[in-house]
Amino acid sequence: MLELRNVSKWFGGLPALQDVSFRIAPGQVTALIGPNGAGKSTLINCISGVDRVQAGSVLLARRPVEALPAFKIAALGVARTFQNLKLFSRLTVLDNVLTGLTVAAERSFAVSMMRLPALRHQERQLRLRALKALDDFGLAKKAHWPASSLSYGEKKRVEMARAFVSDPRLVLLDEPVAGLNTEETAQIARHIRRQRSAGHTMLLVEHDMELVMEVADQVVVLDSGRCIASGKPEAVRSNPLVLEAYLGRMEATA
Amino acid sequence: MSGFQDLLQFVFAGITSGAIYALIALGFCVVHNTIGIVNFAQVDFVSLGGMFLFSGLFWSGLPMVVALPCAVAAVTLVGIVVERLGVRPSRSQNHLVLIFLTIGISIILRGGMKLIWGKNRMAVPPLAGEEPLRIAGAAILPQAVAILVITTLAIGLLVFFFRGTRLGLCMRAVASNQTAAAVVGIPVGRVKAASFALAGGLGGLAGVLVTPITTLSYDVGVLLGLKGFAAAILGGFGSFPGAVLGGLLLGLLESLSAGYWSSAYKDVSAFVVLLLVLFVRPKGLLGK
């Protein structure tokens, strides 16, 4: 599905990512963990085309995509959420989720331009899909609210609905439970589990180790831009390098 | 009764010019919302609308019903060209740089018009007849009625475009958050070009509607355009309902002040309003 080969990136002279390589198999959930500033969000940005890698390549279904603009990567089936929410705050919740179907609408754009009734039919179908996704994420009642009026937890769910609505091949989730209370975290975790059993491939950046250990098939650990370990969650958990760089520090502060 | 007739006359004149300001203000808003800049070439889209209408009618001999939509379409095209060749290649995305760029483009467009159509004033025939209609004692030009009807239709279409079509949704999305728009698969560059096209269309429409009243010259759009700009600020720059409200209020104010005070100050009132808004309520009436 996704393969990273020696991905590197610098901000000014500082290395943000150094020779990061790993693979994600279809249907797998990969958790990307590491201390703050390890380069996790940068990596997600590079995969989704928001940021550019400076060396190495990002292969999506064996096709190099590292030079493509973000909207083309989205068209290839990569959706994402952001750590600090990027919703269309002036749009309604439903419209936000409808934008997530841009890719689905674009596919037959040329055809539907010629036949207006077909276009209208398609838009109606997309609207139903968006409403279904809102229902799945427990937001059906707020479909017509402006996104800016929602609580932080609800906004996180709108963003997830927007990412998942098009049935993308790969979903990048950047800290989906950061800043949420216990109840909201449990809610999001439930949604992640549900998407996982629906067979979605996900790359999950997360600090919540309980969630990571529960949903991940594979864990990749970044530290100072380098990939220091990867493998099954249990194996990574007991890796001494990881304990030192990440888990050790977590336990010390906890 | 004559006092009432005067008032009616002034109000009607005000609404008519207000409709034109509203169209221009909407053009400013469309570009501002997607790119975040003030596009000063908007004023020349107005002149170009009149110029293309003139050429369609007198150079190509087209009937009015054909020449008018062709002129609007031609300015729409100019809008796309301005974005593609003028704004997009800019190596800086700094808003101030882009705004100055549009001022440069505006000067180039005006120079081009001077070369093609000359510096003389020209007359464009109105859409409908020239015989004024009598409504409750007020004399109203058929062109004014045409302006109101077409502007209302255009605003209705615009609302439908933004609320009911996918491109409209994409434009609203780009206006709200560009990064998010890109990652859901919206080609942000193309949407920006579309916003310039729309701005061109709106400016061109204002031009073809107003030049039969004002007479036509290469710089006719400058004063009209700046008033449209003032209207957009009055309504709250970037707000579509604000643009319409600002346009109508400005038109009314201008016409009433000219009627009851002195027509010498007609053009001044727009800019007094502009200053007052900036001093008292910079975000405008409906701005956020």
Side-chain angles (χ1 to χ4, degrees), chain A residues 50 70-71 74 82 86-90 95 98-99 102-103 105 123 126 162, chain B residues 166 169-170 172-173 175-177 179-187 190 288:
Chain A
V50 173
F71 80 91
F82 291 86
K86 290 202 191 298
L87 282 181
F88 306 113
S89 51
R90 278 182 264 163
D95 279 346
L98 271 172
T99 61
T102 306
V103 178
E123 275 303 322
L126 294 180
R162 184 177 75 187
Chain B
R166 188 143 278 273
L169 176 67
C170 289
R172 285 188 291 137
S176 182
N177 190 322
T179 313
V183 302
V184 298
I186 296 172
R190 256 175 263 166
K288 286 172 201 93

PDB file of all heavy atoms in Angstrom, chain A residues 50 70-71 74 82 86-90 95 98-99 102-103 105 123 126 162, chain B residues 166 169-170 172-173 175-177 179-187 190 288:
ATOM      1  N   VAL A  50       1.403  17.840   1.842  1.00  0.00           N
ATOM      2  CA  VAL A  50       1.342  19.176   2.428  1.00  0.00           C
ATOM      3  C   VAL A  50       2.756  19.744   2.516  1.00  0.00           C
ATOM      4  O   VAL A  50       2.977  20.937   2.409  1.00  0.00           O
ATOM      5  CB  VAL A  50       0.680  19.113   3.826  1.00  0.00           C
ATOM      6  CG1 VAL A  50       0.749  20.447   4.538  1.00  0.00           C
ATOM      7  CG2 VAL A  50      -0.767  18.658   3.688  1.00  0.00           C
ATOM      8  N   ALA A  70      -0.692  18.074  -3.126  1.00  0.00           N
ATOM      9  CA  ALA A  70      -1.582  17.426  -2.159  1.00  0.00           C
ATOM     10  C   ALA A  70      -2.897  16.963  -2.781  1.00  0.00           C
ATOM     11  O   ALA A  70      -3.379  15.863  -2.499  1.00  0.00           O
ATOM     12  CB  ALA A  70      -1.862  18.378  -0.996  1.00  0.00           C
ATOM     13  N   PHE A  71      -3.480  17.783  -3.660  1.00  0.00           N
ATOM     14  CA  PHE A  71      -4.801  17.395  -4.167  1.00  0.00           C
ATOM     15  C   PHE A  71      -4.742  16.154  -5.061  1.00  0.00           C
ATOM     16  O   PHE A  71      -5.693  15.382  -5.136  1.00  0.00           O
ATOM     17  CB  PHE A  71      -5.496  18.584  -4.862  1.00  0.00           C
ATOM     18  CG  PHE A  71      -5.061  18.873  -6.283  1.00  0.00           C
ATOM     19  CD1 PHE A  71      -5.724  18.284  -7.348  1.00  0.00           C
ATOM     20  CD2 PHE A  71      -4.022  19.741  -6.547  1.00  0.00           C
ATOM     21  CE1 PHE A  71      -5.360  18.560  -8.645  1.00  0.00           C
ATOM     22  CE2 PHE A  71      -3.629  20.024  -7.840  1.00  0.00           C
ATOM     23  CZ  PHE A  71      -4.295  19.426  -8.896  1.00  0.00           C
ATOM     24  N   ALA A  74      -4.487  13.176  -2.748  1.00  0.00           N
ATOM     25  CA  ALA A  74      -5.831  12.902  -2.243  1.00  0.00           C
ATOM     26  C   ALA A  74      -6.624  12.108  -3.284  1.00  0.00           C
ATOM     27  O   ALA A  74      -7.338  11.162  -2.954  1.00  0.00           O
ATOM     28  CB  ALA A  74      -6.546  14.206  -1.902  1.00  0.00           C
ATOM     29  N   PHE A  82      -5.850  16.355  10.917  1.00  0.00           N
ATOM     30  CA  PHE A  82      -4.745  17.175  11.393  1.00  0.00           C
ATOM     31  C   PHE A  82      -4.711  17.187  12.914  1.00  0.00           C
ATOM     32  O   PHE A  82      -5.743  17.078  13.569  1.00  0.00           O
ATOM     33  CB  PHE A  82      -4.889  18.607  10.888  1.00  0.00           C
ATOM     34  CG  PHE A  82      -4.685  18.743   9.406  1.00  0.00           C
ATOM     35  CD1 PHE A  82      -5.747  18.548   8.529  1.00  0.00           C
ATOM     36  CD2 PHE A  82      -3.446  19.054   8.881  1.00  0.00           C
ATOM     37  CE1 PHE A  82      -5.568  18.668   7.163  1.00  0.00           C
ATOM     38  CE2 PHE A  82      -3.259  19.180   7.511  1.00  0.00           C
ATOM     39  CZ  PHE A  82      -4.320  18.986   6.655  1.00  0.00           C
ATOM     40  N   LYS A  86      -8.070  21.043  10.960  1.00  0.00           N
ATOM     41  CA  LYS A  86      -8.231  21.964   9.849  1.00  0.00           C
ATOM     42  C   LYS A  86      -9.591  21.703   9.228  1.00  0.00           C
ATOM     43  O   LYS A  86      -9.730  20.989   8.247  1.00  0.00           O
ATOM     44  CB  LYS A  86      -7.111  21.808   8.827  1.00  0.00           C
ATOM     45  CG  LYS A  86      -5.769  22.307   9.354  1.00  0.00           C
ATOM     46  CD  LYS A  86      -4.828  22.654   8.234  1.00  0.00           C
ATOM     47  CE  LYS A  86      -3.405  22.891   8.722  1.00  0.00           C
ATOM     48  NZ  LYS A  86      -3.312  24.030   9.655  1.00  0.00           N
ATOM     49  N   LEU A  87     -10.589  22.297   9.846  1.00  0.00           N
ATOM     50  CA  LEU A  87     -11.946  22.181   9.317  1.00  0.00           C
ATOM     51  C   LEU A  87     -12.261  23.433   8.513  1.00  0.00           C
ATOM     52  O   LEU A  87     -11.578  24.443   8.628  1.00  0.00           O
ATOM     53  CB  LEU A  87     -12.954  22.070  10.455  1.00  0.00           C
ATOM     54  CG  LEU A  87     -13.089  20.719  11.130  1.00  0.00           C
ATOM     55  CD1 LEU A  87     -14.142  20.796  12.212  1.00  0.00           C
ATOM     56  CD2 LEU A  87     -13.451  19.627  10.135  1.00  0.00           C
ATOM     57  N   PHE A  88     -13.313  23.369   7.699  1.00  0.00           N
ATOM     58  CA  PHE A  88     -13.814  24.568   7.046  1.00  0.00           C
ATOM     59  C   PHE A  88     -14.798  25.181   8.033  1.00  0.00           C
ATOM     60  O   PHE A  88     -15.973  24.829   8.045  1.00  0.00           O
ATOM     61  CB  PHE A  88     -14.476  24.220   5.723  1.00  0.00           C
ATOM     62  CG  PHE A  88     -13.575  23.433   4.812  1.00  0.00           C
ATOM     63  CD1 PHE A  88     -13.848  22.121   4.494  1.00  0.00           C
ATOM     64  CD2 PHE A  88     -12.435  24.028   4.288  1.00  0.00           C
ATOM     65  CE1 PHE A  88     -13.010  21.404   3.653  1.00  0.00           C
ATOM     66  CE2 PHE A  88     -11.591  23.311   3.449  1.00  0.00           C
ATOM     67  CZ  PHE A  88     -11.880  22.001   3.136  1.00  0.00           C
ATOM     68  N   SER A  89     -14.299  26.069   8.885  1.00  0.00           N
ATOM     69  CA  SER A  89     -15.113  26.478  10.035  1.00  0.00           C
ATOM     70  C   SER A  89     -16.345  27.258   9.621  1.00  0.00           C
ATOM     71  O   SER A  89     -17.332  27.268  10.330  1.00  0.00           O
ATOM     72  CB  SER A  89     -14.265  27.277  11.017  1.00  0.00           C
ATOM     73  OG  SER A  89     -13.599  28.301  10.324  1.00  0.00           O
ATOM     74  N   ARG A  90     -16.288  27.911   8.453  1.00  0.00           N
ATOM     75  CA  ARG A  90     -17.453  28.698   8.041  1.00  0.00           C
ATOM     76  C   ARG A  90     -18.517  27.837   7.364  1.00  0.00           C
ATOM     77  O   ARG A  90     -19.634  28.286   7.142  1.00  0.00           O
ATOM     78  CB  ARG A  90     -17.020  29.807   7.077  1.00  0.00           C
ATOM     79  CG  ARG A  90     -16.481  31.032   7.811  1.00  0.00           C
ATOM     80  CD  ARG A  90     -16.110  32.112   6.831  1.00  0.00           C
ATOM     81  NE  ARG A  90     -14.692  32.065   6.512  1.00  0.00           N
ATOM     82  CZ  ARG A  90     -14.155  32.661   5.448  1.00  0.00           C
ATOM     83  NH1 ARG A  90     -14.903  33.313   4.602  1.00  0.00           N
ATOM     84  NH2 ARG A  90     -12.869  32.587   5.223  1.00  0.00           N
ATOM     85  N   ASP A  95     -21.509  20.143   4.847  1.00  0.00           N
ATOM     86  CA  ASP A  95     -20.670  20.625   3.747  1.00  0.00           C
ATOM     87  C   ASP A  95     -19.215  20.217   3.938  1.00  0.00           C
ATOM     88  O   ASP A  95     -18.521  19.875   2.978  1.00  0.00           O
ATOM     89  CB  ASP A  95     -20.774  22.147   3.603  1.00  0.00           C
ATOM     90  CG  ASP A  95     -22.025  22.571   2.846  1.00  0.00           C
ATOM     91  OD1 ASP A  95     -22.645  21.686   2.219  1.00  0.00           O
ATOM     92  OD2 ASP A  95     -22.372  23.762   2.876  1.00  0.00           O
ATOM     93  N   LEU A  98     -19.037  16.770   2.877  1.00  0.00           N
ATOM     94  CA  LEU A  98     -19.213  16.704   1.413  1.00  0.00           C
ATOM     95  C   LEU A  98     -17.914  17.029   0.673  1.00  0.00           C
ATOM     96  O   LEU A  98     -17.636  16.439  -0.378  1.00  0.00           O
ATOM     97  CB  LEU A  98     -20.308  17.673   0.973  1.00  0.00           C
ATOM     98  CG  LEU A  98     -21.734  17.118   0.960  1.00  0.00           C
ATOM     99  CD1 LEU A  98     -22.738  18.233   0.686  1.00  0.00           C
ATOM    100  CD2 LEU A  98     -21.891  16.020  -0.078  1.00  0.00           C
ATOM    101  N   THR A  99     -17.125  17.934   1.218  1.00  0.00           N
ATOM    102  CA  THR A  99     -15.856  18.236   0.552  1.00  0.00           C
ATOM    103  C   THR A  99     -14.957  16.995   0.529  1.00  0.00           C
ATOM    104  O   THR A  99     -14.156  16.837  -0.380  1.00  0.00           O
ATOM    105  CB  THR A  99     -15.060  19.365   1.248  1.00  0.00           C
ATOM    106  OG1 THR A  99     -14.751  18.952   2.576  1.00  0.00           O
ATOM    107  CG2 THR A  99     -15.822  20.663   1.275  1.00  0.00           C
ATOM    108  N   THR A 102     -14.903  15.155  -2.702  1.00  0.00           N
ATOM    109  CA  THR A 102     -14.431  15.809  -3.921  1.00  0.00           C
ATOM    110  C   THR A 102     -13.853  14.782  -4.883  1.00  0.00           C
ATOM    111  O   THR A 102     -14.123  14.801  -6.079  1.00  0.00           O
ATOM    112  CB  THR A 102     -13.321  16.830  -3.580  1.00  0.00           C
ATOM    113  OG1 THR A 102     -13.820  17.706  -2.582  1.00  0.00           O
ATOM    114  CG2 THR A 102     -12.912  17.615  -4.800  1.00  0.00           C
ATOM    115  N   VAL A 103     -13.070  13.872  -4.319  1.00  0.00           N
ATOM    116  CA  VAL A 103     -12.403  12.855  -5.128  1.00  0.00           C
ATOM    117  C   VAL A 103     -13.430  11.959  -5.826  1.00  0.00           C
ATOM    118  O   VAL A 103     -13.312  11.669  -7.008  1.00  0.00           O
ATOM    119  CB  VAL A 103     -11.487  12.011  -4.221  1.00  0.00           C
ATOM    120  CG1 VAL A 103     -10.835  10.920  -5.024  1.00  0.00           C
ATOM    121  CG2 VAL A 103     -10.441  12.898  -3.580  1.00  0.00           C
ATOM    122  N   ALA A 105     -16.455  12.727  -6.551  1.00  0.00           N
ATOM    123  CA  ALA A 105     -17.224  13.499  -7.529  1.00  0.00           C
ATOM    124  C   ALA A 105     -16.398  13.756  -8.776  1.00  0.00           C
ATOM    125  O   ALA A 105     -16.907  13.718  -9.881  1.00  0.00           O
ATOM    126  CB  ALA A 105     -17.660  14.826  -6.921  1.00  0.00           C
ATOM    127  N   GLU A 123     -24.896  14.003  -7.193  1.00  0.00           N
ATOM    128  CA  GLU A 123     -24.782  14.855  -6.008  1.00  0.00           C
ATOM    129  C   GLU A 123     -25.683  14.345  -4.889  1.00  0.00           C
ATOM    130  O   GLU A 123     -25.337  14.396  -3.721  1.00  0.00           O
ATOM    131  CB  GLU A 123     -25.122  16.313  -6.342  1.00  0.00           C
ATOM    132  CG  GLU A 123     -23.938  17.107  -6.883  1.00  0.00           C
ATOM    133  CD  GLU A 123     -22.718  17.132  -5.953  1.00  0.00           C
ATOM    134  OE1 GLU A 123     -22.904  17.210  -4.723  1.00  0.00           O
ATOM    135  OE2 GLU A 123     -21.592  17.037  -6.462  1.00  0.00           O
ATOM    136  N   LEU A 126     -23.996  11.439  -3.295  1.00  0.00           N
ATOM    137  CA  LEU A 126     -22.875  11.868  -2.450  1.00  0.00           C
ATOM    138  C   LEU A 126     -23.393  12.436  -1.134  1.00  0.00           C
ATOM    139  O   LEU A 126     -22.830  12.207  -0.069  1.00  0.00           O
ATOM    140  CB  LEU A 126     -22.032  12.916  -3.179  1.00  0.00           C
ATOM    141  CG  LEU A 126     -21.296  12.426  -4.430  1.00  0.00           C
ATOM    142  CD1 LEU A 126     -20.498  13.551  -5.048  1.00  0.00           C
ATOM    143  CD2 LEU A 126     -20.383  11.251  -4.102  1.00  0.00           C
ATOM    144  N   ARG A 162     -14.930  13.387   7.545  1.00  0.00           N
ATOM    145  CA  ARG A 162     -14.512  13.944   6.264  1.00  0.00           C
ATOM    146  C   ARG A 162     -13.425  13.082   5.627  1.00  0.00           C
ATOM    147  O   ARG A 162     -13.382  12.896   4.412  1.00  0.00           O
ATOM    148  CB  ARG A 162     -13.992  15.372   6.473  1.00  0.00           C
ATOM    149  CG  ARG A 162     -13.610  16.096   5.202  1.00  0.00           C
ATOM    150  CD  ARG A 162     -13.186  17.513   5.489  1.00  0.00           C
ATOM    151  NE  ARG A 162     -11.857  17.572   6.089  1.00  0.00           N
ATOM    152  CZ  ARG A 162     -11.310  18.687   6.561  1.00  0.00           C
ATOM    153  NH1 ARG A 162     -11.978  19.815   6.528  1.00  0.00           N
ATOM    154  NH2 ARG A 162     -10.100  18.667   7.085  1.00  0.00           N
TER     155      ARG A 162
ATOM    156  N   ARG B 166     -21.022  21.858  -6.882  1.00  0.00           N
ATOM    157  CA  ARG B 166     -19.792  21.351  -6.295  1.00  0.00           C
ATOM    158  C   ARG B 166     -18.658  22.373  -6.404  1.00  0.00           C
ATOM    159  O   ARG B 166     -17.891  22.552  -5.472  1.00  0.00           O
ATOM    160  CB  ARG B 166     -19.390  20.035  -6.972  1.00  0.00           C
ATOM    161  CG  ARG B 166     -18.229  19.367  -6.269  1.00  0.00           C
ATOM    162  CD  ARG B 166     -18.345  17.882  -6.250  1.00  0.00           C
ATOM    163  NE  ARG B 166     -19.207  17.391  -5.203  1.00  0.00           N
ATOM    164  CZ  ARG B 166     -18.791  17.132  -3.962  1.00  0.00           C
ATOM    165  NH1 ARG B 166     -17.565  17.389  -3.610  1.00  0.00           N
ATOM    166  NH2 ARG B 166     -19.615  16.662  -3.081  1.00  0.00           N
ATOM    167  N   LEU B 169     -19.107  24.802  -3.738  1.00  0.00           N
ATOM    168  CA  LEU B 169     -18.672  24.232  -2.452  1.00  0.00           C
ATOM    169  C   LEU B 169     -17.142  24.279  -2.350  1.00  0.00           C
ATOM    170  O   LEU B 169     -16.595  24.652  -1.317  1.00  0.00           O
ATOM    171  CB  LEU B 169     -19.178  22.791  -2.326  1.00  0.00           C
ATOM    172  CG  LEU B 169     -18.730  22.023  -1.077  1.00  0.00           C
ATOM    173  CD1 LEU B 169     -19.327  22.605   0.179  1.00  0.00           C
ATOM    174  CD2 LEU B 169     -19.103  20.544  -1.195  1.00  0.00           C
ATOM    175  N   CYS B 170     -16.478  23.909  -3.459  1.00  0.00           N
ATOM    176  CA  CYS B 170     -15.008  23.933  -3.465  1.00  0.00           C
ATOM    177  C   CYS B 170     -14.499  25.352  -3.219  1.00  0.00           C
ATOM    178  O   CYS B 170     -13.532  25.553  -2.499  1.00  0.00           O
ATOM    179  CB  CYS B 170     -14.463  23.419  -4.797  1.00  0.00           C
ATOM    180  SG  CYS B 170     -14.686  21.653  -5.000  1.00  0.00           S
ATOM    181  N   ARG B 172     -16.012  27.751  -1.570  1.00  0.00           N
ATOM    182  CA  ARG B 172     -16.219  28.114  -0.166  1.00  0.00           C
ATOM    183  C   ARG B 172     -15.185  27.410   0.701  1.00  0.00           C
ATOM    184  O   ARG B 172     -14.700  27.965   1.678  1.00  0.00           O
ATOM    185  CB  ARG B 172     -17.637  27.737   0.274  1.00  0.00           C
ATOM    186  CG  ARG B 172     -18.689  28.702  -0.279  1.00  0.00           C
ATOM    187  CD  ARG B 172     -20.050  28.434   0.328  1.00  0.00           C
ATOM    188  NE  ARG B 172     -20.626  27.179  -0.114  1.00  0.00           N
ATOM    189  CZ  ARG B 172     -21.248  26.321   0.675  1.00  0.00           C
ATOM    190  NH1 ARG B 172     -21.382  26.580   1.955  1.00  0.00           N
ATOM    191  NH2 ARG B 172     -21.737  25.200   0.177  1.00  0.00           N
ATOM    192  N   ALA B 173     -14.862  26.172   0.319  1.00  0.00           N
ATOM    193  CA  ALA B 173     -13.870  25.417   1.091  1.00  0.00           C
ATOM    194  C   ALA B 173     -12.501  26.083   0.997  1.00  0.00           C
ATOM    195  O   ALA B 173     -11.821  26.269   2.001  1.00  0.00           O
ATOM    196  CB  ALA B 173     -13.808  23.978   0.596  1.00  0.00           C
ATOM    197  N   ALA B 175     -11.914  29.150   0.374  1.00  0.00           N
ATOM    198  CA  ALA B 175     -11.982  30.417   1.107  1.00  0.00           C
ATOM    199  C   ALA B 175     -11.795  30.186   2.597  1.00  0.00           C
ATOM    200  O   ALA B 175     -11.248  31.012   3.301  1.00  0.00           O
ATOM    201  CB  ALA B 175     -13.325  31.101   0.852  1.00  0.00           C
ATOM    202  N   SER B 176     -12.251  29.033   3.075  1.00  0.00           N
ATOM    203  CA  SER B 176     -12.229  28.787   4.513  1.00  0.00           C
ATOM    204  C   SER B 176     -10.895  28.236   5.004  1.00  0.00           C
ATOM    205  O   SER B 176     -10.411  28.626   6.067  1.00  0.00           O
ATOM    206  CB  SER B 176     -13.371  27.834   4.873  1.00  0.00           C
ATOM    207  OG  SER B 176     -13.422  27.609   6.239  1.00  0.00           O
ATOM    208  N   ASN B 177     -10.300  27.307   4.257  1.00  0.00           N
ATOM    209  CA  ASN B 177      -9.018  26.731   4.695  1.00  0.00           C
ATOM    210  C   ASN B 177      -8.322  26.051   3.523  1.00  0.00           C
ATOM    211  O   ASN B 177      -8.731  24.985   3.075  1.00  0.00           O
ATOM    212  CB  ASN B 177      -9.259  25.724   5.820  1.00  0.00           C
ATOM    213  CG  ASN B 177      -7.964  25.284   6.478  1.00  0.00           C
ATOM    214  OD1 ASN B 177      -6.942  25.110   5.816  1.00  0.00           O
ATOM    215  ND2 ASN B 177      -8.000  25.130   7.782  1.00  0.00           N
ATOM    216  N   THR B 179      -5.258  24.638   3.131  1.00  0.00           N
ATOM    217  CA  THR B 179      -4.563  23.363   3.334  1.00  0.00           C
ATOM    218  C   THR B 179      -5.570  22.229   3.380  1.00  0.00           C
ATOM    219  O   THR B 179      -5.394  21.184   2.739  1.00  0.00           O
ATOM    220  CB  THR B 179      -3.772  23.383   4.653  1.00  0.00           C
ATOM    221  OG1 THR B 179      -3.050  24.598   4.720  1.00  0.00           O
ATOM    222  CG2 THR B 179      -2.820  22.220   4.741  1.00  0.00           C
ATOM    223  N   ALA B 180      -6.637  22.436   4.146  1.00  0.00           N
ATOM    224  CA  ALA B 180      -7.655  21.405   4.239  1.00  0.00           C
ATOM    225  C   ALA B 180      -8.270  21.138   2.872  1.00  0.00           C
ATOM    226  O   ALA B 180      -8.535  19.997   2.500  1.00  0.00           O
ATOM    227  CB  ALA B 180      -8.736  21.829   5.235  1.00  0.00           C
ATOM    228  N   ALA B 181      -8.466  22.207   2.095  1.00  0.00           N
ATOM    229  CA  ALA B 181      -9.043  22.032   0.760  1.00  0.00           C
ATOM    230  C   ALA B 181      -8.147  21.150  -0.101  1.00  0.00           C
ATOM    231  O   ALA B 181      -8.622  20.244  -0.791  1.00  0.00           O
ATOM    232  CB  ALA B 181      -9.242  23.393   0.095  1.00  0.00           C
ATOM    233  N   ALA B 182      -6.841  21.391  -0.029  1.00  0.00           N
ATOM    234  CA  ALA B 182      -5.920  20.597  -0.845  1.00  0.00           C
ATOM    235  C   ALA B 182      -5.942  19.129  -0.433  1.00  0.00           C
ATOM    236  O   ALA B 182      -5.955  18.246  -1.289  1.00  0.00           O
ATOM    237  CB  ALA B 182      -4.506  21.160  -0.733  1.00  0.00           C
ATOM    238  N   VAL B 183      -5.969  18.846   0.867  1.00  0.00           N
ATOM    239  CA  VAL B 183      -5.880  17.439   1.267  1.00  0.00           C
ATOM    240  C   VAL B 183      -7.180  16.672   1.056  1.00  0.00           C
ATOM    241  O   VAL B 183      -7.169  15.449   1.076  1.00  0.00           O
ATOM    242  CB  VAL B 183      -5.398  17.219   2.724  1.00  0.00           C
ATOM    243  CG1 VAL B 183      -4.046  17.852   2.954  1.00  0.00           C
ATOM    244  CG2 VAL B 183      -6.413  17.702   3.730  1.00  0.00           C
ATOM    245  N   VAL B 184      -8.299  17.366   0.856  1.00  0.00           N
ATOM    246  CA  VAL B 184      -9.497  16.599   0.483  1.00  0.00           C
ATOM    247  C   VAL B 184      -9.584  16.450  -1.036  1.00  0.00           C
ATOM    248  O   VAL B 184     -10.532  15.866  -1.547  1.00  0.00           O
ATOM    249  CB  VAL B 184     -10.819  17.185   1.031  1.00  0.00           C
ATOM    250  CG1 VAL B 184     -10.823  17.178   2.536  1.00  0.00           C
ATOM    251  CG2 VAL B 184     -11.089  18.569   0.489  1.00  0.00           C
ATOM    252  N   GLY B 185      -8.595  16.973  -1.752  1.00  0.00           N
ATOM    253  CA  GLY B 185      -8.543  16.728  -3.192  1.00  0.00           C
ATOM    254  C   GLY B 185      -9.018  17.883  -4.056  1.00  0.00           C
ATOM    255  O   GLY B 185      -9.267  17.712  -5.246  1.00  0.00           O
ATOM    256  N   ILE B 186      -9.167  19.064  -3.465  1.00  0.00           N
ATOM    257  CA  ILE B 186      -9.612  20.212  -4.259  1.00  0.00           C
ATOM    258  C   ILE B 186      -8.396  20.869  -4.914  1.00  0.00           C
ATOM    259  O   ILE B 186      -7.451  21.236  -4.230  1.00  0.00           O
ATOM    260  CB  ILE B 186     -10.353  21.235  -3.379  1.00  0.00           C
ATOM    261  CG1 ILE B 186     -11.625  20.614  -2.811  1.00  0.00           C
ATOM    262  CG2 ILE B 186     -10.678  22.498  -4.169  1.00  0.00           C
ATOM    263  CD1 ILE B 186     -12.340  21.459  -1.778  1.00  0.00           C
ATOM    264  N   PRO B 187      -8.388  20.991  -6.249  1.00  0.00           N
ATOM    265  CA  PRO B 187      -7.272  21.668  -6.916  1.00  0.00           C
ATOM    266  C   PRO B 187      -7.347  23.164  -6.645  1.00  0.00           C
ATOM    267  O   PRO B 187      -8.037  23.896  -7.343  1.00  0.00           O
ATOM    268  CB  PRO B 187      -7.469  21.344  -8.395  1.00  0.00           C
ATOM    269  CG  PRO B 187      -8.867  20.874  -8.529  1.00  0.00           C
ATOM    270  CD  PRO B 187      -9.398  20.498  -7.193  1.00  0.00           C
ATOM    271  N   ARG B 190      -6.792  25.775  -9.459  1.00  0.00           N
ATOM    272  CA  ARG B 190      -7.886  25.893 -10.425  1.00  0.00           C
ATOM    273  C   ARG B 190      -9.070  26.657  -9.823  1.00  0.00           C
ATOM    274  O   ARG B 190      -9.755  27.411 -10.508  1.00  0.00           O
ATOM    275  CB  ARG B 190      -8.337  24.502 -10.876  1.00  0.00           C
ATOM    276  CG  ARG B 190      -7.836  24.161 -12.272  1.00  0.00           C
ATOM    277  CD  ARG B 190      -8.198  22.740 -12.634  1.00  0.00           C
ATOM    278  NE  ARG B 190      -7.086  21.845 -12.386  1.00  0.00           N
ATOM    279  CZ  ARG B 190      -7.196  20.514 -12.346  1.00  0.00           C
ATOM    280  NH1 ARG B 190      -8.379  19.937 -12.525  1.00  0.00           N
ATOM    281  NH2 ARG B 190      -6.146  19.771 -12.137  1.00  0.00           N
ATOM    282  N   LYS B 288     -17.010  39.789   9.531  1.00  0.00           N
ATOM    283  CA  LYS B 288     -16.725  38.972  10.724  1.00  0.00           C
ATOM    284  C   LYS B 288     -15.459  39.475  11.417  1.00  0.00           C
ATOM    285  O   LYS B 288     -14.549  39.939  10.796  1.00  0.00           O
ATOM    286  CB  LYS B 288     -16.560  37.515  10.323  1.00  0.00           C
ATOM    287  CG  LYS B 288     -17.898  36.912   9.989  1.00  0.00           C
ATOM    288  CD  LYS B 288     -17.723  35.496   9.402  1.00  0.00           C
ATOM    289  CE  LYS B 288     -18.948  35.089   8.607  1.00  0.00           C
ATOM    290  NZ  LYS B 288     -18.825  35.393   7.208  1.00  0.00           N
TER     291      LYS B 288
END
